[in-house]
Amino acid sequence: MNFNLPTAFKTNRRVFMLQSALTTAAVVAAASAQAQAMLSETDAQATGLGYRADSTKVDNAKFPKHAAEQHCGNCALFQGAAGAASGGCAIFAGKQVSSKGWCSAYNKKSS
Ligand code: SF4
């Protein structure tokens, strides 16, 4: 069976299919970004690593390697965009950490 569709129709159909695929991919990406909850300081793993959402609140007596200039935003394990308020972390999979946060797994990002 040969339908002999007009070329314009075939092109429009191809464009529609491509746009549909791109829209679906964008929706999925946005949904997965929103699905990541912020890491709680009381999360068991966060507690174990001394995570604080505000690096200035870190107990320096308990974590002497902590320095004032250290925060998630300049940690090599931070997965958020530069300048973002929060982002993923390689240590805390599926959670967002504050870019102003800190934990004892901090590893300075090379510049
Ligand atoms: Fe922040 Fe780095 Fe600790 Fe992740 S590993 S919580 S980015 S300091």
Side-chain angles (χ1 to χ4, degrees):
M1 194 180 288
N2 185 357
F3 291 107
N4 289 328
L5 295 172
T7 305
F9 179 79
K10 288 180 187 172
T11 301
N12 286 342
R13 184 172 182 275
R14 197 175 305 130
V15 169
F16 173 77
M17 297 296 280
L18 182 59
Q19 287 174 336
S20 295
L22 292 173
T23 301
T24 301
V27 169
V28 169
S32 76
Q34 287 181 343
Q36 284 192 332
M38 288 299 292
L39 176 67
S40 167
E41 292 180 349
T42 57
D43 175 283
Q45 189 182 6
T47 303
L49 290 172
Y51 173 77
R52 298 299 304 262
D54 181 349
S55 179
T56 65
K57 302 281 185 352
V58 172
D59 181 349
N60 287 329
K62 193 171 177 185
F63 300 101
K65 79 168 203 170
H66 173 255
E69 70 276 7
Q70 297 176 350
H71 58 91
C72 295
N74 62 21
C75 172
L77 301 172
F78 185 67
Q79 299 170 331
S86 63
C89 167
I91 299 288
F92 301 103
K95 300 281 182 167
Q96 296 259 310
V97 297
S98 168
S99 65
K100 295 178 180 171
W102 183 90
C103 86
S104 59
Y106 175 86
N107 190 359
K108 187 177 181 350
K109 186 185 291 185
S110 60
S111 45

